[in-house]
Amino acid sequence: PLTSGPGRLWWGLVLVVVPLLVVTGKLVLLQGVDGGAYANAAEQDRLSTYPIAALRGAVVDRDGNPFAYTVEASRVVADPTVVDDPERTALALSALLDLPVDELTERLTAEGRYVVLARQVPPETTDAIDELGLAGVSFEDDPVRLYPAGSVGGQIVGWVGRDGEGLGGVELRFDDALAGTDGQRRVEVGSGGNPIPSGIDESTPATDGSTVELTVDRDVQFTVEQRLAQACADGATTRASAVVLDVHTGEVVAMGSCPGYDPARAGSTDPALLGNPVVSDVFEPGSVMKAVTLAAAVEEGEATPDTVLTVDGHIQAGDVVVTDAHDHDPVDWTVTGILAKSSNVGTIMLARQVGDATLERYLRAFGVGEETGIELPGESAGILEASADWTESRAANVPIGQGVSVTTLQMASVFQAIANDGVRVPPRLVESVTAPDGTTSTPEAPEATRVIGEDTADDLAYMLEAVVGPGGTAPLGEVDGYRVAGKTGTAQRANPECGCYEGGGYVTTFVGFAPADDPQYVVAVDLERPTSSAEGGQVAAPVFADVMRYVLTHGGVVPSGTARPDFALTGEDLAARAGGTGAGTPAAGD
């Protein structure tokens, strides 16, 4: 029987040996067969991977002055399940993070294993926290984007979101180059969440972003924005924009609008202000577009600066009558006089000689109706209908700058072509992109296009100089010591409430270049004035003059070495000039 003698001993031995064999087999399996896998699993459980943030590249002006750059900072985080004493930890962190103890305690006792205690903490603060050796508290890269110029150039530079991605301007357009490539760190941590000194610590370094150098001059940019802010403070101007271009290269020296914004405060700024009106907002330019109409007439051989036309005070155009700014009896104006006096009727007469299709061809050659290709997001192409669709009234409006819409940048580009001997160079904003290793790439220069002949450009410059001269519409556009050529514009502003012109006020403009005898810079200015009927020569020309005066002196441009010509604005002036005497001209209009 089992309960007797040797049988009982045998079964007792079995009951002892079998469990030992099972345990021993399990140990052999764990240590000999699966030991490496279990050890690796334990190691992986102790490993934490942290991103190493790349420092975003800087955006600088043409002289290397920063508009935007990034500095190192950290996000202070915690694992509440590892924190030993939440209240004591909160007390230790409160002064360093400038946060209330109760708020920190609440976060340190929250559910889950990850809470953010503070963002964008400077290195000196994280160093002080690290010395405390607080269990469960660690750091993650959280760089800070700084904009030392404030709102100056803000509409050009743009801004970044909380995660550091570009959301506007150059920050968005060149986000890939500026962002760089993040690295990572794999580190073995102990139960307290702190790195094990002899444990695994492997890093793949980040590659910082490239530096984007703009063609913009920060000093000129500051001056432009200051002058626009003055314009917007006059009680009637709701928006003002300006562009400064280098005549020969098309480089943007400055561009801005008011109101602007500070990229560092983009998150609290009205979203409607976070664009760049210079490249995105369109308006009817008015009489500044007459320069294109006259360029077409001269280039096509339909007129010269001294061609005389008998111009009435009004002209029929389909079912509407177009008048000059001030009605008048018939006047024998030269083509120069038509431009200097900004005669709508005379310009329409010349446009009819040129023909609708030909005028449209010149408008498009000057860049009207198409994007300039500027390196910024949100650019508008403007509005230019095909001439085949023009009604008789539209065919009369387009030559005088109504029924066609442009951006401030397009408007400046038109005059850049005239000032550059008839060769249009599309505007550009970025000079170079330099990688962290010093490798510099220069964007391909835009292709230059001849729009009008050099002789025609010279004739246009002469006639545009008459606009600023005696009897012209813009004596307030003069700059002491320099000859100036330019054109005023006063166009009806569309009222967004009704989609009509009634009650919309006006957009006043002035675009010009200087020195007229050796052009270096183009300045375009437009002011949106919903409650005012003031003309471009009264309000836009003075803004132009102030900006151009600074640009010329800052750029070291020597004063004009020749005197302004004597302009023949009427047939009588031509006769008097031929006879060697002077003669008066009718008062200026637009």
Side-chain angles (χ1 to χ4, degrees):
L2 294 177
T3 58
S4 64
R8 182 190 305 174
L9 293 174
W10 171 256
W11 284 108
L13 181 62
V14 170
L15 292 173
V16 171
V17 171
V18 170
L20 285 174
L21 290 173
V22 172
V23 171
T24 301
K26 187 66 174 178
L27 288 173
V28 170
L29 181 65
L30 289 175
Q31 295 183 14
V33 180
D34 295 334
Y38 279 100
N40 183 64
E43 182 182 272
Q44 293 300 320
D45 190 53
R46 294 193 302 271
L47 279 176
S48 293
T49 301
Y50 305 100
I52 300 175
L55 289 182
R56 191 173 180 84
V59 179
V60 301
D61 82 341
R62 66 197 307 153
D63 296 319
N65 300 308
F67 281 117
Y69 65 95
T70 295
V71 296
E72 292 182 357
S74 299
R75 188 165 42 247
V76 181
V77 300
D79 180 349
T81 66
V82 179
V83 175
D84 290 334
D85 187 335
E87 291 186 359
R88 183 179 177 184
T89 302
L91 185 63
L93 292 174
S94 178
L96 291 171
L97 298 180
D98 193 25
L99 290 170
V101 173
D102 57 349
E103 181 179 332
L104 286 170
T105 302
E106 182 180 353
R107 296 183 190 180
L108 291 168
T109 55
E111 293 184 2
R113 301 200 60 183
Y114 181 88
V115 292
V116 176
L117 303 181
R119 295 180 181 275
Q120 298 183 333
V121 178
E124 57 269 23
T125 301
T126 55
D127 288 345
I129 295 173
D130 195 38
E131 291 178 2
L132 298 176
L134 300 172
V137 177
S138 57
F139 314 109
E140 299 174 352
D141 288 337
D142 192 18
V144 179
R145 192 67 164 167
L146 300 177
Y147 298 92
S151 62
V152 176
Q155 294 166 320
I156 300 172
V157 176
W159 77 100
V160 297
R162 167 162 277 186
D163 294 330
E165 77 281 13
L167 296 179
V170 171
E171 295 274 31
L172 173 59
R173 176 64 175 76
F174 288 85
D175 188 53
D176 289 344
L178 289 165
T181 304
D182 289 345
Q184 70 173 18
R185 178 189 180 194
R186 296 173 69 245
V187 60
E188 194 173 357
V189 297
S191 59
N194 296 314
I196 299 174
S198 59
I200 295 173
D201 193 341
E202 301 172 340
S203 295
T204 301
T207 301
D208 292 340
S210 300
T211 294
V212 176
E213 180 182 330
L214 306 181
T215 60
V216 174
D217 184 309
R218 196 170 68 174
D219 291 337
V220 178
Q221 183 70 31
F222 173 80
T223 300
V224 167
E225 292 188 24
Q226 287 291 101
R227 187 59 183 87
L228 292 176
Q230 293 176 17
C232 283
D234 67 3
T237 302
T238 56
R239 182 190 60 79
S241 297
V243 178
V244 181
L245 295 182
D246 183 297
V247 164
H248 305 294
T249 65
E251 293 177 354
V252 174
V253 181
M255 66 161 63
S257 298
C258 69
Y261 68 90
D262 183 344
R265 296 178 173 81
S268 59
T269 300
D270 181 352
L273 300 179
L274 291 178
N276 188 335
V278 173
V279 301
S280 62
D281 288 8
V282 299
F283 57 93
E284 297 185 40
S287 295
V288 294
M289 202 55 68
K290 292 172 182 174
V292 176
T293 304
L294 269 63
V298 174
E299 183 75 6
E300 291 296 310
E302 297 293 339
T304 71
D306 289 341
T307 298
V308 178
L309 279 71
T310 300
V311 181
D312 206 339
H314 57 273
I315 191 170
Q316 191 74 35
D319 57 351
V320 301
V321 176
V322 180
T323 66
D324 278 346
H326 308 289
D327 203 359
H328 55 78
D329 293 332
V331 179
D332 290 336
W333 268 324
T334 62
V335 172
T336 301
I338 288 171
L339 192 61
K341 297 295 183 180
S342 199
S343 170
N344 294 331
V345 176
T347 303
I348 292 169
M349 293 169 65
L350 289 167
R352 288 176 176 176
Q353 291 179 224
V354 169
D356 294 348
T358 301
L359 178 58
E360 182 198 354
R361 176 164 54 84
Y362 277 91
L363 287 165
R364 296 195 185 279
F366 274 104
V368 179
E370 65 178 30
E371 296 178 8
T372 67
I374 194 71
E375 308 99 316
L376 288 172
E379 182 181 16
S380 172
I383 301 172
L384 175 60
E385 276 188 340
S387 57
D389 297 327
W390 293 356
T391 62
E392 288 188 62
S393 59
R394 176 59 55 86
N397 275 345
V398 170
I400 61 176
Q402 296 268 187
V404 57
S405 294
V406 298
T407 65
T408 311
L409 184 61
Q410 286 176 322
M411 194 169 65
S413 184
V414 167
F415 279 70
Q416 176 275 326
I418 296 172
N420 193 36
D421 294 329
V423 177
R424 179 174 177 262
V425 182
R428 64 186 183 94
L429 181 67
V430 174
E431 180 63 35
S432 65
V433 178
T434 302
D437 63 2
T439 304
T440 298
S441 60
T442 302
E444 185 177 352
E447 184 178 354
T449 305
R450 177 163 292 283
V451 178
I452 52 176
E454 188 172 345
D455 289 343
T456 299
D458 288 342
D459 286 343
L460 258 293
Y462 165 83
M463 292 189 286
L464 289 168
E465 196 171 358
V467 174
V468 186
T473 59
L476 296 179
E478 287 187 304
V479 177
D480 290 343
Y482 298 92
R483 291 170 53 183
V484 174
K487 185 68 189 78
T488 54
T490 307
Q492 288 180 287
R493 171 183 173 271
N495 187 341
E497 294 182 2
C498 64
C500 61
Y501 289 125
E502 185 177 354
Y506 292 86
V507 175
T508 61
T509 57
F510 189 90
V511 191
F513 51 87
D517 51 335
D518 184 19
Q520 300 298 318
Y521 297 104
V522 170
V523 174
V525 174
D526 63 270
L527 311 178
E528 191 173 89
R529 298 165 60 84
T531 60
S532 172
S533 60
E535 297 176 342
Q538 297 171 305
V539 292
V543 178
F544 162 90
D546 289 344
V547 171
M548 182 62 85
R549 184 179 299 109
Y550 180 82
V551 172
L552 292 171
T553 55
H554 178 75
V557 179
V558 298
S560 296
T562 57
R564 182 168 55 198
D566 290 327
F567 302 105
L569 306 187
T570 66
E572 184 181 350
D573 289 343
L574 280 177
R577 189 170 66 184
T581 62
T585 59
D590 177 80

